[in-house]
Amino acid sequence: DGGITQSPKYLFRKEGQNVTLSCEQNLNHDAMYWYRQDPGQGLRLIYYSQIVNDFQKGDIAEGYSVSREKKESFPLTVTSAQKNPTAFYLCASSMTGARQPQHFGDGTRLSIL
Amino acid sequence: QQPVQSPQAVILREGEDAVINCSSSKALYSVHWYRQKHGEAPVFLMILLKGGEQKGHEKISASFNEKKQQSSLYLTASQLSYSGTYFCGTEGGDDKIIFGKGTRLHILP
C-alpha cells in the first residue's frame, strides 16, 4: 500500500544537539510538507517542497533545515538554534500544487531531555 | 494570517447536526478541511475551490463564500466516529496552506 512513513515515532533531544526526522513517501507525489503541531495551535508550516532540489520556508522555519535530494524523501533537521523544539511533527505529501489533498504521516513526537 | 475557526469546541449527541465555520482576512483561492483523531494523522475531508469546484468525500457537505472569505463544514446526523478535531486550511494563491487552530468535536452516545 502507498503511504507516508515518518520515523522515529518518538525522539528525544539533548541540549545543543541537532536531530533529524525522517519522512518517506511512495505515493509518487511531487510536493512534500513539514508541519509542527502544538496543543491548541493547529498545524503550522515549517518548510515545503514542490519539486526535487527545491524548497521554500514556511511560517516558522527558524531553527529548522530540510533537504529534498530525492522525490520520495524530505528529511527535517531540528537544529540547536530551535530553542523550543518540543512538539508533534507531521510530514505530508500531495500532487503538485496546494489545491490537492494532502496525505499525512503518523507523526514524530520530539521531546527535550 | 491564520484563519479563525468557530466554535472552538462543541459537544453533540449522536444524531444531532453541527456547523463548523472558518473565516479568513485575505482573499482565498481554496479552503481545505481535515479531521484529526487524538494521536493520529489528520485525514483529508474536502477541498473547496474558487469558482465552485469541490473535491472530497460525497458524504461531507461544505460551502465556500469567496466574497466573504468564509467556509462552513456541515455535519449532519452525527455519528460517534465524527469525534475529533476539525481543521480548516486556507490558500491565498501562494501554494501554502495556512491551518486554523481547530474545532474539537465530541459526540456523546
Side-chain angles (χ1 to χ4, degrees):
Chain A
D1 285 338
I4 298 182
T5 302
Q6 288 187 242
S7 61
K9 190 170 183 178
Y10 299 96
L11 187 59
F12 298 91
R13 196 193 88 169
K14 294 180 181 179
E15 294 287 344
Q17 187 181 43
N18 293 353
V19 292
T20 297
L21 284 60
S22 171
C23 178
E24 303 276 335
Q25 55 98 0
N26 60 4
L27 297 166
N28 200 31
H29 285 165
D30 287 307
M32 296 188 75
Y33 310 83
W34 273 107
Y35 294 93
R36 169 177 171 146
Q37 189 171 30
D38 296 282
Q41 295 300 315
L43 304 168
R44 292 186 290 170
L45 183 63
I46 306 173
Y47 270 98
Y48 62 108
S49 168
Q50 297 287 350
I51 197 169
V52 174
N53 291 323
D54 189 37
F55 48 82
Q56 286 77 40
K57 292 182 180 180
D59 298 319
I60 56 165
E62 186 175 349
Y64 300 97
S65 66
V66 293
S67 63
R68 186 85 189 276
E69 297 176 0
K70 298 188 300 181
K71 186 175 182 177
E72 301 80 17
S73 178
F74 192 40
L76 173 74
T77 296
V78 183
T79 74
S80 57
Q82 173 48 246
K83 298 306 179 187
N84 184 24
T86 298
F88 188 52
Y89 291 86
L90 286 161
C91 178
S93 71
S94 73
M95 294 171 64
T96 302
R99 292 161 210 166
Q100 301 290 340
Q102 292 190 8
H103 299 256
F104 285 82
D106 288 334
T108 293
R109 192 166 298 279
L110 176 62
S111 302
I112 295 296
L113 283 178
Chain B
Q1 290 87 342
Q2 194 173 31
V4 176
Q5 290 187 232
S6 63
Q8 290 185 345
V10 60
I11 300 175
L12 297 176
R13 293 211 172 269
E14 204 172 3
E16 292 182 336
D17 302 337
V19 180
I20 300 173
N21 301 302
C22 177
S23 178
S24 175
S25 60
K26 64 176 188 176
L28 302 177
Y29 282 75
S30 64
V31 179
H32 305 235
W33 287 97
Y34 289 79
R35 178 174 61 216
Q36 184 181 30
K37 293 186 180 289
H38 184 68
E40 297 181 8
V43 173
F44 167 73
L45 296 177
M46 176 167 283
I47 295 174
L48 302 104
L49 301 172
K50 187 176 179 180
E53 184 183 353
Q54 297 185 1
K55 304 178 186 180
H57 298 284
E58 293 177 358
K59 293 186 178 181
I60 299 293
S61 174
S63 64
F64 178 22
N65 186 321
E66 297 169 28
K67 288 184 179 179
K68 292 186 176 181
Q69 295 134 217
Q70 295 174 346
S71 177
S72 295
L73 184 70
Y74 305 97
L75 302 170
T76 58
S78 58
Q79 304 171 17
L80 293 176
S81 62
Y82 289 8
S83 291
T85 301
Y86 289 78
F87 293 100
C88 78
T90 55
E91 181 256 326
D94 56 359
D95 269 350
K96 293 193 306 183
I97 299 173
I98 308 299
F99 285 94
K101 294 184 178 183
T103 295
R104 295 187 308 280
L105 175 65
H106 187 63
I107 309 293
L108 299 172

